[in-house]
Amino acid sequence: MGNRLFQEARKAVAQAKQAANGEIDMNVDHAIAIAKNALSSAYAHSNTAEKAQLRQFQAELDELTH
């Protein structure tokens, strides 16, 4: 099944990107906050490869806030 927290983080980042692009009706700041929380939770419970991807997800979120 894989790492559930990692999957949730990936989904939350995707939602934040969709909110930022106006693809879904969701407050962007709220979506980013959810994604950051999900990334933080996932990072503590991930293996090395997952952590590398989580860092990439974090970079994508950082781009939304700049």
Side-chain angles (χ1 to χ4, degrees), residues 20-52:
N21 292 331
E23 297 170 16
I24 61 173
D25 185 23
M26 184 177 205
N27 179 280
V28 177
D29 291 334
H30 181 68
I32 290 171
I34 290 170
K36 286 183 177 183
N37 187 44
L39 284 170
S40 178
S41 296
Y43 198 83
H45 298 92
S46 296
N47 63 37
T48 304
E50 289 168 335
K51 286 181 180 181

Side-chain angles (χ1 to χ4, degrees), residues 3-19:
N3 183 336
R4 182 181 59 83
L5 292 172
F6 178 84
Q7 301 297 332
E8 289 177 11
R10 180 169 51 191
K11 180 181 174 187
V13 170
Q15 279 189 327
K17 289 167 64 176
Q18 289 175 322

